C-alpha cells in the first residue's frame, strides 16, 4: 500500500492551467488508480425545500449504476455519517453489509455491490467557498488505500481550486427554482423585500425564504453576492 501513496504524490495535474473536462477527467482517473479504486464520482449537492439531489460533475460510473441507484441515494452516500473531512481518517461504506445509513436502503446497498461498488469512500472537498464531494469505490473490499485517500483529498482540493470557471459553469448551472430566480431578479433591480412580495403576490417572509435558499445554493454570504453570482452565470 505504501507504493500507492507514493504514486499519488507524483500525480500531476494535467496542463499548466487546467480548465477543461479532459483535464479534470485525466486527473480524476490518475487519482483513482493511485488510491487503488476502480471508480470515481465528483459531485455537488443541490438542496431545495423538498429534495437533496446529486449533481454529477464528473464520473466513470456506468450508466446503469447511476440510473438504478438514483441521484438521491448518491447524495445520501456523499453526505453519510461516514463522510471524511480533509485531514480525517477515511471510513468505508461496505455495501454488501447493507449499512444502516440514512437514505440508503438495504436493497439499494446490495444493488451497488452487484454493480461493482462493494466499498465506497466519501470525501468532502473544500474548494474556495464551494463544498464538493468525491466518491471513490472498488468492487473488492480492502482494495482502496485509506492513507493514499488522505493525500488524494488534499490533491483534489488543490486541483479543483485551479479550475474555478469550469466548476462554476457545471456545478452552479442554474440551480435556482423559478421563484428564487424571480426574487433575485427583482432584488437586482433595486426592489426591497416588501416590493418583491407585492410584485409576486406572496408574503415578505416567503420572499426572504426564497432569497435565503438562493444564497445557500450559491454559497454566498449575502443577497448582494448571490445576485452578483447569478448575473455572472447568466441566470438572471
Amino acid at each position: 500500500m505504501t507504493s500507492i501513496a507514493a504514486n499519488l504524490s507524483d500525480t500531476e495535474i494535467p496542463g499548466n492551467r487546467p480548465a477543461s473536462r479532459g483535464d479534470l477527467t485525466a486527473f480524476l482517473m490518475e487519482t483513482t488508480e493511485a488510491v487503488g479504486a476502480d471508480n470515481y464520482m465528483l459531485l455537488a449537492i443541490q438542496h431545495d425545500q423538498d429534495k437533496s439531489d446529486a449533481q454529477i460533475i464528473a464520473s466513470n460510473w456506468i450508466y446503469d449504476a447511476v440510473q438504478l441507484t438514483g441521484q438521491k441515494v448518491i447524495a445520501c452516500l456523499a453526505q453519510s455519517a461516514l463522510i471524511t473531512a480533509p485531514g480525517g481518517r477515511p471510513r468505508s461504506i461496505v455495501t454488501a453489509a447493507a449499512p444502516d445509513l440514512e437514505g440508503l436502503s438495504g436493497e439499494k446497498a446490495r444493488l451497488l455491490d452487484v454493480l461493482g461498488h462493494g466499498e465506497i469512500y466519501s470525501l468532502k472537498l473544500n474548494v474556495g467557498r464551494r463544498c464538493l464531494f468525491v466518491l471513490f469505490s472498488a468492487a473488492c473490499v480492502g482494495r482502496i488505500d485509506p492513507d493514499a485517500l488522505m493525500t488524494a483529498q488534499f490533491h483534489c482540493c488543490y486541483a479543483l481550486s485551479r479550475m474555478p470557471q469550469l466548476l462554476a459553469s457545471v456545478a452552479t448551472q442554474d440551480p435556482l427554482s423559478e421563484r428564487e430566480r424571480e426574487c433575485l431578479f427583482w432584488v437586482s433591480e433595486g426592489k426591497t423585500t416588501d416590493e418583491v412580495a407585492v410584485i409576486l403576490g406572496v408574503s415578505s417572509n416567503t420572499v426572504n425564504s426564497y432569497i435565503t435558499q438562493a444564497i445557500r445554493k450559491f454559497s454566498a454570504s449575502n443577497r448582494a453576492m448571490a445576485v452578483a453570482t447569478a448575473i455572472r452565470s447568466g441566470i438572471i
Side-chain angles (χ1 to χ4, degrees):
M1 290 296 188
T2 303
S3 61
I4 293 177
N7 289 340
L8 182 62
S9 66
D10 296 329
T11 299
E12 295 294 335
I13 303 168
N16 213 11
R17 291 181 60 83
S20 71
R21 284 183 174 273
D23 290 339
L24 178 61
T25 298
F27 171 75
L28 289 171
M29 289 178 65
E30 291 172 6
T31 304
T32 299
E33 181 180 1
V35 302
D38 300 318
N39 303 284
Y40 67 85
M41 179 181 288
L42 177 67
L43 59 147
I45 305 298
Q46 296 296 346
H47 294 283
D48 211 333
Q49 292 176 341
D50 59 352
K51 67 179 181 179
S52 181
D53 291 339
Q55 183 176 8
I56 300 171
I57 299 173
S59 173
N60 69 343
W61 285 38
I62 63 172
Y63 178 80
D64 284 351
V66 176
Q67 291 299 109
L68 295 175
T69 302
Q71 292 188 336
K72 288 187 178 181
V73 170
I74 292 173
C76 290
L77 287 171
Q79 303 174 102
S80 79
L82 298 179
I83 187 174
T84 304
R89 180 71 179 176
R91 296 176 294 166
S92 68
I93 300 170
V94 179
T95 55
D100 183 20
L101 296 176
E102 183 178 354
L104 180 65
S105 67
E107 179 183 356
K108 290 288 187 179
R110 286 186 288 271
L111 177 61
L112 283 166
D113 181 44
V114 170
L115 291 170
H117 303 276
E119 183 175 45
I120 302 174
Y121 285 87
S122 173
L123 307 180
K124 182 178 180 181
L125 305 178
N126 297 322
V127 183
R129 294 192 305 272
R130 188 183 306 284
C131 175
L132 301 178
F133 305 86
V134 63
L135 302 177
F136 288 109
S137 60
C140 299
V141 176
R143 179 183 296 174
I144 300 175
D145 180 1
D147 291 328
L149 279 176
M150 295 177 70
T151 303
Q153 192 166 16
F154 288 107
H155 275 238
C156 286
C157 291
Y158 171 67
L160 296 176
S161 69
R162 295 177 62 192
M163 49 180 73
Q165 292 183 343
L166 173 64
L167 293 178
S169 66
V170 176
T172 63
Q173 187 174 6
D174 201 1
L176 305 181
S177 69
E178 186 63 29
R179 280 302 199 187
E180 290 162 356
R181 193 180 307 109
E182 287 178 331
C183 287
L184 282 190
F185 169 77
W186 288 116
V187 169
S188 73
E189 292 290 302
K191 302 298 183 183
T192 66
T193 296
D194 290 340
E195 289 171 335
V196 175
V198 172
I199 293 170
L200 299 182
V202 297
S203 70
S204 296
N205 286 339
T206 299
V207 171
N208 282 330
S209 177
Y210 284 132
I211 293 174
T212 298
Q213 291 290 332
I215 290 171
R216 182 167 54 78
K217 288 180 178 181
F218 283 136
S219 298
S221 58
N222 52 50
R223 62 175 61 191
M225 185 178 293
V227 167
T229 301
I231 291 174
R232 286 197 305 267
S233 304
I235 293 174
I236 62 174

